[in-house]
Amino acid sequence: MFDRQKRGDRAVLVLPHSRGEGDSLRRAEEFAELVKSAGAEVLGVINARVEDPNPRYYIGSGKANEVAEAARALEADLVLVDHLLTPVQERNLEKHLGVRVVDRAGLILDIFAQRARSHEGKLEVELAQLKHLATRLVRGWTHLDAQRGGAIGNRGPGETQLETDRRLLGERVKQLTKRLEKVQVQRGQQRRSRLRNTVPRVALVGYTNAGKSTLFNALTTGDVYAADLLFATLDPTVRKLENLSCGPAVIADTVGFIRELPHDLVAAFRATLAEARDADLLLHVSDAADEERERLHGVVDKVLEEIDAGDVPQLHVMNKIDLAGAEPRIERDGTGKPVRVWLSAGTGVGLELLRQALGELLGGDRVQAPLHLPLSAGRLHARLKAAGAISSETIDEHGWQLLIDAPRSVIAPLSGGDANEAQLLRELLAVAE
């Protein structure tokens, strides 16, 4: 076994592709962006045609020799492969090349380890990394005392975890799982509180670097970090969204999606991505200047299916129209419902069109009618007020005289299971029809 370097971010990139792969150039550019986001210095790039993957190296022995020569000549201490390698292939390549080898999954995990800021995010990243590492702890790799946390592919768990054997690693995974379950319960309670308040919920989703965080900041005057990097933000942020015709809503900024997102990472981030699963509406943000945006929609939809959010209604947001040379507008379907909004989050052009579309979609049929509540219906009065459904009210010895103005979808679930309250709401909805 070769002597591993303590750290090193001087990398040679290996880009496997097949003859029928039509998007190899886009994929290469994306991998270069991933490497940039991880902070590595690219010394060289080697393309490798792979029609029948080599079970030993994946890229074939001849190409492996070429990579080894390039790594020695360029004095690289890291080889990054744009594909998911098996543990055996990764280990064989490391022996053959004499430097660390990190595949696509390991690189994405490393970026996530750098970006996580919240307690929950750090737990999720460490859990995903340890599960990934567990498949690579084989005989001869029981104690990786020369490996250090901090270099690409090694960030996250750190030196103490990487020196453990399978048993200790398994115990750590169990411990993290329990801690994460507690955090998820707390987040679930916060989410249920929002559900009880019946405030419409919106979640931003999209391919990474589409401009979700910039749009989030523009809509909420928030301060979420936004940069021209893949996975610039990782932890979800929830803010109040105001000035909509349907009344207030809450909006969540979620992690960007990418093709071949490591399965363990998707599984670990189910709690974070639950913001998308539990939303009333998804704002699917795309880069309008990207010629491959339609294909990337499919990548995002696939991840949404994986997290059980495939059935949540979507409004497509075509962002960066200033780069695409397009005009701000709302596209509607045959029924007049908004399906796509063209805007620029960076310049602010078209943001009012998005607010208009959100108001229409979240508002739906509005209930505008008077409602008399007896004094005994104090809980229902409180729920109506919390939901922003009361436009005016007076009170006397007989109870509240209210004027209701709110979406039907907000009014319907407010009874809280009480039969008398449910009957009052049914009568209100019937009058409003």
Side-chain angles (χ1 to χ4, degrees), residues 120-230:
E120 180 183 18
K122 292 177 181 178
L123 290 177
E124 288 170 328
V125 171
E126 183 175 350
L127 180 60
Q129 284 195 307
L130 289 177
K131 287 182 177 180
H132 182 73
L133 178 64
T135 63
R136 282 141 173 84
L137 285 181
V138 295
R139 185 175 303 170
W141 288 51
T142 301
H143 293 89
L144 306 180
D145 55 358
Q147 196 169 1
R148 296 290 187 269
I152 288 179
N154 298 331
R155 269 180 280 252
E159 178 183 6
T160 56
Q161 276 71 54
L162 293 174
E163 289 176 345
T164 61
D165 58 18
R166 278 188 181 275
R167 181 180 59 81
L168 292 179
L169 187 146
E171 290 177 358
R172 178 63 176 165
V173 167
K174 291 179 181 178
Q175 182 186 42
L176 283 173
T177 301
K178 289 181 180 178
R179 290 172 60 186
L180 192 54
E181 286 174 353
K182 292 181 180 179
V183 176
Q184 290 170 359
V185 168
Q186 294 173 352
R187 182 175 287 276
Q189 290 171 343
Q190 296 171 352
R191 191 176 296 114
R192 283 192 294 274
S193 176
R194 294 203 302 272
L195 290 172
R196 284 196 299 270
N197 289 334
T198 67
V199 177
R201 304 171 311 284
V202 179
L204 289 166
V205 299
Y207 209 76
T208 187
N209 212 27
K212 296 186 309 304
S213 296
T214 302
L215 179 59
F216 181 87
N217 288 337
L219 286 172
T220 65
T221 63
D223 56 355
V224 172
Y225 177 67
D228 187 22
L229 292 172
L230 301 188

Side-chain angles (χ1 to χ4, degrees), residues 10 21 31 63 72 76 93 97 126 152-153 157 170 187 201 216 267-268 297 305 309 321 352 416 419 425 427 432:
R10 293 164 50 82
E21 192 174 359
F31 192 64
K63 187 61 67 172
R72 285 194 296 270
L93 272 176
L97 304 179
E126 183 175 350
I152 288 179
R187 182 175 287 276
R201 304 171 311 284
F216 181 87
H297 287 169
E305 290 288 345
I321 60 171
E352 286 308 311
L425 293 182
E427 292 174 358

Side-chain angles (χ1 to χ4, degrees), residues 17 29 50 58 65 89 112-113 115 143 170 197-198 250 268 290 294 300 310 315 337 398 422:
H17 62 90
E29 292 174 349
V50 178
Y58 181 76
N65 290 334
Q89 289 168 342
F112 271 55
R115 299 287 189 268
H143 293 89
N197 289 334
T198 67
V250 293
D290 192 333
E294 295 299 331
V300 175
L315 173 63
K337 184 176 74 172
H398 302 294

